Amino acid sequence: MNNMIVTLETIRYVSAIALCMALAALAIYGLYRNIKETAEDTVREELEQAIKEASKPVVKVEIQTKGKW
């Protein structure tokens, strides 16, 4: 009977450790997704800004002077 109690306590202990590891993995995955989404949003905004800047026309003005004043 004592052997069965030790076995059940061991199973309970191992189950508790597995649950803690699963919760930690879930928390880390949530942080990863949050960081990834933030990075994707930042890249998207920077890309949109670069496209806006690239689509603006470039006007070059040169002034030529003839002789001295």
Side-chain angles (χ1 to χ4, degrees), residues 6 10 12 15 17 20 23 31 37 40 43-44 47-48 59:
V6 171
T10 304
R12 187 173 72 120
S15 297
I17 291 173
C20 289
L23 290 173
L31 289 173
E37 288 174 2
E40 287 174 350
V43 168
R44 186 177 304 113
L47 184 59
E48 288 172 357
V59 178

Side-chain angles (χ1 to χ4, degrees), residues 20-56:
C20 289
M21 291 177 64
L23 290 173
L26 182 62
I28 291 170
Y29 179 69
L31 289 173
Y32 165 77
R33 285 191 53 179
N34 188 17
I35 291 170
K36 182 180 174 186
E37 288 174 2
T38 303
E40 287 174 350
D41 290 343
T42 302
V43 168
R44 186 177 304 113
E45 290 171 3
E46 289 177 357
L47 184 59
E48 288 172 357
Q49 183 65 28
I51 291 170
K52 286 179 186 176
E53 291 294 322
S55 66
K56 291 181 181 176

